[in-house]
Amino acid sequence: MTNKEIAQRFAELADLLEFKDENAFKVRSYRRVARVLEDLSEDVAELAEKGTLEDLPGVGEATAKKIAEYLETGRIRRLEEAREGVPEGIAEVLGIQGVGPKKAAMLFKELGIGSVDELEEAAREHRLRDLPGMGEKTEQNILRGIRIARSGTERMRLDVALDAAAMVIDHLEGKQGLVSRITPAGSLRRRRETIGDVDLLAVGDDPAAIIDEFTSGPYVADVLLAGETKASVVVEGDPHPQVDLRVVDADEFGSALQYFTGSQAHNINLRGLAKKRGMKISEYGLFEGDDRIASAEEEDIYRALDMALIPPELREDQGEIEAALDGSLPDLVEPDDIRGDFHVHSDWSDGRNTIEEIAEAARERGLRFVAITDHSRSLTVANGLTEERVREQIEQIERVNRSLSDLQVLAGSEVDIRSDGSLDLPDDLLAELDVVIAAIHTGFKQPRRQITDRLVAAAEHPHVDIIAHPSGRLIGRRDPYDLDVPELIRACARTGTALEINANPERLDLTDGYCRMARAQGVRLAIGSDAHGVEALRLIDLGVAVARRGWLEKDDVLNTRPEPQLPKRQAGEA
Ligand code: DGT
Ligand code: CA
Ligand code: CA
C-alpha cells in the first residue's frame, strides 16, 4: 500500500509543479519516480531501512529524503508547499481527460477556473474556444471528458461488461479476415465482480483496419482515443462502458495477454520472481539478457518460470503464484461441470415463467435438475406462497416430472427467515420438499449479534439445505448486513448446511473470498441463478466465475452432481 501512496504523492507533486510552471526537469523526474514506485515489487519501507532507496532508477539523494520523510511523518513538506496557492478543485480538473497541467494553468490564469463545475460552465458558455491553442473541438472534448469522469467513477456490473465485450468481439469477428485472435483481458478476464473498463486484445495483419473498424462499430457512443495500435471507445450502456482495444503482434500475444490481464499485484509478484531468476518480464516477453525466451502464448511464460498456467480468476496475488510453484493450484470448477440450478422463481410467486417453461429451458441448457424455489407466504410483495399453495405446487411438480425423463424438477422453497430466526413455513411441510433454501428479506438493519444468530439458527434447522445470498448486499445499492460471516460458515460446517453462491450479477453472494474460507472448512456451495425468467438461467455462469475466484473445485460445488446430493437430506435418509 505504501508504495502506491508515495507514488501518488510524487505524481501529484509533478502535476502541481507543472501547473505552476516550475522546473520542467523536476516535473519529469518526479513523474518517473512515481512510475518506478508504482511498479516496484519490493516494499519501499524495507528499502529505506536498508538504505538502498538510491539504487532505484531516478531516485537521488533529495528524493530518497522525501520518501524517508513520508515514511516517518506521513507528510512531504515539499508537496505541501506546492499545494499552496492552488485551488483544491484543480486536482479534479487535472483528472479530466484532455486537460493536462499546462492547460489547467492557462484556464486558471485566463478565466480563473479552479474546479470542474467552473470548467463545465465555461465550456458550455463557449468561453474556452477563443483561448490560445483551443477551439470548438477542444471545448467539446472537455465537455466529453467531464461526462466520462462523472460516469467513469462508477464501476459496471460484470454482466454489463461481458455484454459490451461480446458486442465488440462479435462485430470484429464478423468482418472476414480482420482479426485472427481477440479476447478480453483485465479485470473482465479475471471475472471481478465489478469492472472499471473492458480491456480487449487482438491480433491481425492490418492493425489500422482493426482500429478503424473498432472505433466505427455500431455500438460506439464516443471515441476517446484512436492510435495506431490502441483505441478507447465508450459504448451505449449504463453506466457507459469504456472499452480499450490493443492490437499486438502474433508472437507477443501471450506476453501482452499476461501483462494486460493483471492484476497489477499479481504482475508485480511475478516480476519479482522473474528478477530473482535473472529474468525480466514485460508486455513484450520474458527475457534472459537480450534473449526472448517466451512470448507467443501465456502458458509459455508461466512454464518458463516453472509454473502451470495460472487461471485468470486466481490472479489477485492471494497465494496463487506460490501454489503454482509447488504444484498445488486447485483444479477449478468449470461452467461445463454444472448439472443443475438450485434457485429459480416461477410464476407461482414473482417469476415470469411457468414450471413447464422453466423445465424446458433448463433441459435446453443441458441441465439434469432444476429447483423451483418460490418465495414463502410472508413475502407478500413477491406474491409468496401460502402453505396450501406450496402443497399444490408440490403436486404440480410431480405431474411435470412424470412427463420428463431426462430432467428432474425439484420442489423447493426460498423460505423467509423471520426476524426471530424462525422459518415462514411449518416443519412438516419443509420436510416434504426436495430442497429448502432459507433467506432474509426483511430486518436487514438488525445489530450484528441478532442477525448472525438469526442466520445461524436457520443453518441449524434440520430441514434447511442452503442459506441463500448470505451477505445480502446489492452491488452499488445496498451494503451487506452486519453479519459475522465466519461464524455462519462455522455453523454451516457443523450442521452440513450449504451456502449459496447467488449468480445474479447484482448479488454475486457469497463473495469469492468467503467461498475460499467455506471450502477450507469443508462447507459445500450451491450455485443458484435466482432467475425470475428463463433468459436469466444463463447467469449461472457468473456464479461459476465467483466459485473459481474462490478457489473452488468441482467437488466443492453441489451443482456438479447429476442428482442433487444435499448433505443434510442424505444424512437424514441414511
Ligand atoms: P479495472 O479496469 O479497474 O476493473 O481493473 P483492471 O485490472 O482491468 O485494470 P486496468 O484496466 O487499469 O489495466 C488492465 C491490466 O493492465 C491490469 O490488470 C494490469 C495491467 N496494467 C495496466 N497498467 C499498469 C501499470 O501501470 N502497471 C502494471 N504493473 N500493470 C498495469
Ligand atoms: Ca480494465
Ligand atoms: Ca483499461
Side-chain angles (χ1 to χ4, degrees):
M1 202 58 227
T2 323
N3 290 10
K4 205 164 210 163
E5 269 169 43
I6 303 180
Q8 279 164 359
R9 299 298 183 286
F10 276 95
E12 185 187 348
L13 181 54
D15 281 350
L16 288 169
L17 295 186
E18 193 175 7
F19 178 82
K20 293 179 153 182
D21 200 19
E22 288 184 29
N23 191 327
F25 172 76
K26 287 205 165 145
V27 170
R28 268 198 306 279
S29 107
Y30 289 143
R31 217 159 257 154
R32 176 161 186 226
V33 171
R35 262 197 312 273
V36 167
L37 291 177
E38 176 104 349
D39 275 357
L40 191 63
S41 49
E42 299 99 329
D43 182 0
V44 68
E46 271 171 39
L47 298 185
E49 216 162 281
K50 283 192 282 184
T52 57
L53 280 174
E54 287 176 51
D55 295 347
L56 293 174
V59 177
E61 194 188 335
T63 301
K65 271 196 181 147
K66 289 187 181 66
I67 296 174
E69 182 190 355
Y70 184 80
L71 289 168
E72 276 166 36
T73 65
R75 304 169 43 189
I76 299 175
R77 263 168 314 170
R78 183 73 191 84
L79 174 61
E80 287 171 11
E81 282 165 27
R83 282 177 184 152
E84 271 166 34
V86 178
E88 264 183 58
I90 288 294
E92 241 187 6
V93 172
L94 289 171
I96 303 296
Q97 211 150 20
V99 186
K102 286 210 171 68
K103 205 173 270 175
M106 197 249 294
L107 294 168
F108 182 56
K109 194 166 137 246
E110 300 290 332
L111 302 175
I113 289 170
S115 71
V116 172
D117 288 343
E118 288 165 5
L119 179 61
E120 185 179 18
E121 197 181 311
R124 286 199 189 291
E125 293 170 357
H126 306 307
R127 286 188 280 128
L128 304 182
R129 56 179 64 174
D130 298 329
L131 294 173
M134 301 184 78
E136 251 185 86
K137 184 93 187 138
T138 341
E139 230 168 44
Q140 283 162 12
N141 283 344
I142 286 177
L143 282 173
R144 188 168 69 187
I146 292 172
R147 195 155 46 95
I148 289 157
R150 285 184 177 149
S151 79
T153 50
E154 237 180 293
R155 297 177 64 82
M156 70 190 108
R157 278 186 348 217
L158 183 54
D159 59 326
V160 174
L162 282 166
D163 289 348
M167 199 158 61
V168 175
I169 291 174
D170 282 353
H171 178 70
L172 296 180
E173 282 184 334
K175 307 281 162 188
Q176 273 299 316
L178 189 65
V179 291
S180 56
R181 298 177 92 159
I182 179 161
T183 177
S187 53
L188 180 59
R189 184 162 180 248
R190 303 197 312 277
R191 296 290 192 267
R192 272 194 62 181
E193 56 192 31
T194 61
I195 306 296
D197 64 9
V198 173
D199 301 284
L200 300 177
L201 211 60
V203 175
D205 293 335
D206 188 352
I210 298 176
I211 296 294
D212 258 8
E213 198 58 62
F214 169 63
T215 53
S216 60
Y219 44 76
V220 172
D222 232 330
V223 177
L224 304 178
L225 175 153
E228 279 172 32
T229 57
K230 201 175 116 171
S232 292
V233 303
V234 175
V235 308
E236 301 294 351
D238 184 30
H240 278 315
Q242 180 180 328
V243 183
D244 293 352
L245 173 78
R246 285 182 185 78
V247 185
V248 299
D249 287 345
D251 63 353
E252 286 167 357
F253 179 76
S255 40
L257 183 59
Q258 197 290 316
Y259 180 85
F260 291 112
T261 296
S263 66
Q264 196 169 340
H266 173 89
N267 286 354
I268 287 173
N269 193 344
L270 201 68
R271 200 175 315 141
L273 178 83
K275 197 172 156 198
K276 263 191 229 141
R277 302 183 174 193
M279 295 186 252
K280 264 199 165 135
I281 189 168
S282 75
E283 59 184 288
Y284 305 109
L286 181 66
F287 296 86
E288 212 162 4
D290 287 334
D291 291 339
R292 185 156 80 177
I293 54 176
S295 68
E297 300 297 333
E298 234 183 4
E299 205 172 355
D300 303 340
I301 312 237
Y302 286 99
R303 195 183 313 118
L305 292 167
D306 298 319
M307 283 181 256
L309 179 76
I310 299 179
E313 295 92 335
L314 298 187
R315 298 185 200 169
E316 300 291 350
D317 195 25
Q318 298 287 323
E320 72 281 6
I321 290 179
E322 295 70 16
L325 284 172
D326 69 20
S328 64
L329 279 175
D331 184 8
L332 298 181
V333 60
E334 293 177 21
D336 277 351
D337 294 330
I338 298 301
R339 299 281 172 271
D341 189 334
F342 281 107
H343 190 161
V344 179
H345 295 273
S346 77
D347 61 358
W348 286 60
S349 68
D350 59 347
R352 287 182 295 277
N353 293 98
T354 63
I355 294 169
E356 289 88 340
E357 285 163 351
I358 293 165
E360 182 50 34
R363 211 171 50 154
E364 272 168 24
R365 292 192 52 78
L367 296 184
R368 302 288 299 274
F369 67 88
V370 60
I372 304 296
T373 53
D374 282 313
H375 294 288
S376 60
R377 60 188 172 192
S378 71
L379 214 62
T380 47
V381 286
N383 194 23
L385 272 56
T386 59
E387 249 176 88
E388 207 166 83
R389 295 263 295 151
V390 174
R391 287 186 201 284
E392 278 173 39
Q393 195 184 44
I394 293 175
E395 282 171 24
Q396 165 71 2
I397 287 174
E398 273 169 17
R399 276 196 295 277
V400 173
N401 272 327
R402 277 199 291 276
S403 69
L404 292 167
S405 56
D406 47 359
L407 177 98
Q408 189 188 354
V409 181
L410 306 178
S413 172
E414 179 178 4
V415 64
D416 191 52
I417 306 168
R418 292 188 288 224
S419 58
D420 63 354
S422 66
L423 300 180
D424 193 30
L425 291 171
D427 286 2
D428 61 334
L429 183 56
L430 294 176
E432 269 185 58
L433 293 166
D434 299 317
V435 52
V436 173
I437 63 184
I440 282 183
H441 296 100
T442 52
F444 306 133
K445 297 238 159 74
Q446 283 179 343
R448 189 174 178 84
R449 186 67 265 153
Q450 200 176 348
I451 207 153
T452 303
D453 286 346
R454 195 173 158 198
L455 279 154
V456 166
E460 284 170 343
H461 193 289
H463 299 316
V464 170
D465 300 295
I466 302 165
I467 302 289
H469 42 75
S471 89
R473 62 105 179 247
L474 294 176
I475 294 173
R477 288 208 289 136
R478 189 172 76 204
D479 286 338
Y481 333 125
D482 188 10
L483 167 71
D484 186 338
V485 181
E487 188 172 336
L488 176 64
I489 290 174
R490 285 193 296 276
C492 288
R494 207 165 55 232
T495 56
T497 313
L499 285 168
E500 178 180 69
I501 298 176
N502 190 294
N504 180 320
E506 223 182 10
R507 292 193 181 269
L508 300 181
D509 179 12
L510 199 61
T511 52
D512 45 19
Y514 283 129
C515 287
R516 200 172 171 189
M517 182 187 282
R519 173 183 191 227
Q521 297 184 36
V523 174
R524 304 280 192 226
L525 284 297
I527 305 175
S529 66
D530 203 353
H532 286 69
V534 292
E535 72 291 343
L537 291 174
R538 68 187 175 94
L539 294 176
I540 203 140
D541 286 356
L542 304 187
V544 178
V546 173
R548 289 171 62 85
R549 288 180 56 83
W551 293 54
L552 301 188
E553 301 193 335
K554 188 174 172 184
D555 276 353
D556 301 315
V557 177
L558 293 171
N559 311 58
T560 62
R561 330 266 149 105
E563 300 204 339
Q565 294 175 12
L566 295 159
K568 266 186 200 171
R569 292 196 189 253
Q570 289 189 313
E573 282 161 18

